[in-house]
Amino acid sequence: MEAENLKHLTVAEYQQLEIDSDTKYEYHDGIVYSMAGGTIEHGLIVGNTFGEIKFALRKQSINCTVTNSEVKLHVLESNKFLYPDCMVVCGEIETSKKDENSVTNPIVIIEVLSTSTENYDRGTKFHTYRSIKSLKEYILVDQYMPVVEIFTRKGDLWKIEKLEGMEKHLELVSLGISINMQNIYEKVDFKSRTDKNKYPD
């Protein structure tokens, strides 16, 4: 993710930039960042996770909606527009007064880690997400090995749990659903990526 060499943009100018360029950008209170393309593994994991959540919600008739990375999130407190890999909203979808195509009330956010964004997803982005009052769970999915971290809000604190191994199940407590790790990682090839400290660029 790289910052664009542009002046400090208003939200309206940012919205027009996306329309004119047909490109997704994150907006950080005036500064815009272009969104880089992902790996095949990243795309597979996002698609698998989206599909599994959608299936589970429908099967149990749960009134929640899962979205993919085409849907934008507006974090009101920090005036940021972001594109999470997956979001889940329960009940009515609330949209931003500044951008009717931006969601404001996710209960779950999921990000698939990559070598270029892992520190950002764990640090600055998580700090930003924590200000969302509706958010109850933040999920980080490793794309290079079967590892998932679950951050769950407990009052003002966040509890962390780590799952390792294809035999485990991801329990999304806020939704009342369980997802098999094998299904999250379906068709993902780990053969050449056994060392997490040697991520490919």
Side-chain angles (χ1 to χ4, degrees):
M1 186 175 68
E2 296 183 356
E4 292 288 297
N5 186 21
L6 299 170
K7 65 180 181 179
H8 193 91
L9 299 183
T10 65
V11 171
E13 289 170 333
Y14 157 68
Q15 292 168 331
Q16 193 60 48
L17 173 65
E18 287 201 315
I19 293 171
D20 292 343
S21 63
D22 196 26
T23 301
K24 292 192 299 185
Y25 292 88
E26 286 192 348
Y27 179 88
H28 292 244
D29 197 24
I31 308 300
V32 297
Y33 296 84
S34 59
M35 303 297 293
T39 63
I40 292 173
E41 285 76 15
H42 185 282
L44 286 171
I45 293 167
V46 171
N48 292 341
T49 304
F50 171 86
E52 288 298 308
I53 293 175
K54 186 176 181 68
F55 175 79
L57 293 175
R58 178 180 292 168
K59 183 178 180 180
Q60 298 185 39
S61 299
I62 298 173
N63 184 26
C64 297
T65 304
V66 59
T67 65
N68 61 20
S69 58
E70 292 300 309
V71 176
K72 191 162 33 180
L73 167 69
H74 184 199
V75 184
L76 304 173
E77 290 76 8
S78 54
N79 195 28
K80 294 183 179 182
F81 290 87
L82 309 171
Y83 286 93
D85 287 324
C86 287
M87 290 187 288
V88 182
V89 175
C90 291
E92 183 178 354
I93 295 176
E94 297 176 7
T95 58
S96 170
K97 293 180 180 178
K98 293 185 177 181
D99 185 342
E100 64 182 9
N101 291 313
S102 297
V103 172
T104 61
N105 63 324
I107 190 172
V108 176
I109 293 177
I110 299 170
E111 297 283 7
V112 177
L113 299 176
S114 67
T115 181
S116 60
T117 66
E118 179 173 7
N119 290 337
Y120 171 54
D121 288 337
R122 293 184 183 282
T124 302
K125 185 174 273 190
F126 185 31
H127 179 75
T128 298
Y129 287 158
R130 289 202 302 266
S131 69
I132 301 171
K133 293 180 175 59
S134 62
L135 187 66
K136 295 184 179 180
E137 290 179 287
Y138 180 48
I139 313 298
L140 295 177
V141 184
D142 196 315
Q143 68 170 297
Y144 305 112
M145 59 182 66
V147 175
V148 173
E149 294 172 77
I150 307 104
F151 297 83
T152 306
R153 191 193 294 270
K154 298 291 184 181
D156 294 330
L157 302 175
W158 287 83
K159 173 187 173 183
I160 181 173
E161 179 184 1
K162 188 173 184 179
L163 302 177
E164 298 183 72
M166 298 287 271
E167 73 284 357
K168 299 294 179 63
H169 287 77
L170 169 60
E171 305 287 343
L172 295 174
V173 177
S174 62
L175 304 177
I177 64 174
S178 175
I179 302 173
N180 192 319
M181 290 272 277
Q182 285 187 334
N183 294 340
I184 291 175
Y185 288 103
E186 183 180 3
K187 296 189 177 180
V188 175
D189 182 8
F190 300 115
K191 291 180 181 178
S192 61
R193 296 171 184 173
T194 56
D195 186 349
K196 187 173 173 138
N197 296 317
K198 296 180 180 179
Y199 283 173
D201 292 330

